[in-house]
């Protein structure tokens, strides 16, 4: 009798495993980017106890990195339920750096030759709940469903090929509720865990699509890091941020307009943030037949915290079937205190850069020059960079 029971349990277990295995898939992913850069400049790498100079250490892998996901996925088409569990390894060479004296800074040499982080990941959810347009899911590692807006050209390194959207708020350990149909996409994200300022982070985004374009808006309420003067790390403050924008095409003209506003409040002890609030507007207009576009930036104490400023980018990519492009970009502060920026951080303060870009096979390349800062702190540089995209 015992043998019969054991045999029965073995059969049931085997069938259960077989049923589970038939509904599961191994879901690996590996993506990333290589950004090899050579920068010839007299600027210091960092103000944080690092005396190395770019003219002696010109080669870097800034703004490159990888993301490796190994996931086992379960799904059931009849109910729309699904789940993932797995492992993530990712790293970005410009996250942490180490100089010869052992101090850790942002610079050219990766800490111990790499910056790999490892994380156990899982997410699960319910698609098209009851045949509706609603999706509900939870992720312990990443949700980017509320990231919207055009690329933030006002704070992009000259050798950086990718641009994050203006409204860029990645969430983790979060509940995500989405509504998606042909014309409307609405996403709401809630993080149940309290943040450092004893609040819960909330994210919201809506995109309405119409013929030739869309209108979009986003809102965030939660914490944002701010580095106080003389501090070596961020202090977290209660904050709110919103974006409104649109993009559309009318004949040969394409346009994108976005307005972003940030309001910084108090930290967990009730201390006000040294920077109160700011906003920035970005408008890109493209004449598609000529492959020429101009982006105009109006900054009201968002990028330049003291008194704001302005900037623009002009880009022409009509050569060699779009493979060759000419680009000029500049940001100018209204006050000298903002114009100086941080030496070695070429996306801060006043900056101008011009480059020739060329796409050759799997590579994108840039060769250019620029300047950064103002007056005695002004630095001139030339650079060459190569980009390979694995996304």
């Amino acid at each position: 009798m015992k043998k019969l029971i054991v045999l029965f349990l073995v059969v049931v277990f085997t069938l259960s495993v077989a049923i589970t295995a038939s509904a599961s898939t191994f879901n690996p992913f590996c993506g990333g980017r290589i950004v090899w850069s050579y920068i010839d400049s007299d600027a210091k790498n960092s103000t944080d106890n690092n005396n190395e100079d770019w003219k002696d250490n010109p080669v870097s892998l800034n703004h490159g990195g990888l993301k490796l996901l190994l996931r086992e996925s379960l799904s059931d088409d009849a109910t729309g339920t699904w789940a993932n569990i797995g492992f993530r390894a990712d790293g970005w060479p410009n996250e942490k750096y180490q100089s010869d004296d052992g101090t850790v800074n942002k610079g050219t040499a990766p800490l111990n030759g790499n910056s790999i982080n490892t994380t156990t990941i899982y997410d699960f959810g319910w698609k098209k709940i009851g045949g509706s347009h609603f999706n509900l899911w939870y992720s312990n590692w990443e949700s980017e469903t509320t990231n919207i807006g055009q690329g933030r050209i006002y704070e992009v390194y000259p050798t950086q090929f990718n641009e994050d959207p203006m409204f860029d708020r990645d969430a983790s350990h979060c509940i995500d509720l989405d509504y998606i149909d042909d014309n409307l996409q609405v996403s709401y994200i809630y993080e149940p865990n309290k943040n450092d300022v004893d609040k819960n982070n909330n994210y919201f985004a809506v995109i309405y699509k119409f013929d030739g374009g869309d209108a979009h808006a986003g809102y965030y309420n939660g914490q944002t890091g701010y580095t106080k003067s003389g501090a070596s790390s961020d202090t977290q403050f209660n904050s709110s941020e919103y974006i409104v924008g649109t993009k559309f095409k009318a004949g040969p003209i394409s346009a994108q307009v976005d307005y972003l506003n940030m309001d910084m409040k108090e930290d967990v002890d009730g201390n006000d943030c040294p920077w109160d609030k700011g906003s920035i507007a970005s408008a890109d207009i493209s004449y598609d037949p000529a492959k020429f576009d101009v982006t105009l930036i109006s900054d009201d104490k968002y990028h330049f915290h003291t008194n704001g400023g302005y900037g623009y980018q002009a880009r022409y990519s009509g050569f060699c079937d779009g493979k060759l492009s000419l680009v000029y970009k500049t940001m100018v502060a209204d006050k000298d205190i903002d114009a100086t920026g941080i030496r070695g951080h070429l996306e801060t303060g006043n900056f101008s850069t011009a480059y020739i870009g060329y796409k050759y096979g799997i590579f994108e390349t840039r060769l250019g020059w620029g300047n950064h800062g103002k007056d005695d702190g002004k630095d001139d540089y030339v650079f060459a960079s190569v980009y390979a995209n694995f996304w």
Side-chain angles (χ1 to χ4, degrees), residues 36 56 75 77 102 194 207 269 332 375:
W36 182 95
D56 299 320
S75 63
D77 293 338
K194 293 289 185 69
I207 302 173
D269 297 319
V332 181
D375 300 331

Side-chain angles (χ1 to χ4, degrees), residues 180-185 207-216:
I180 302 173
D181 66 16
D182 293 339
N183 297 105
L184 182 64
Q185 177 176 325
I207 302 173
Y208 178 74
K209 300 177 182 179
F210 51 82
D211 290 342
D214 70 44
H216 51 265

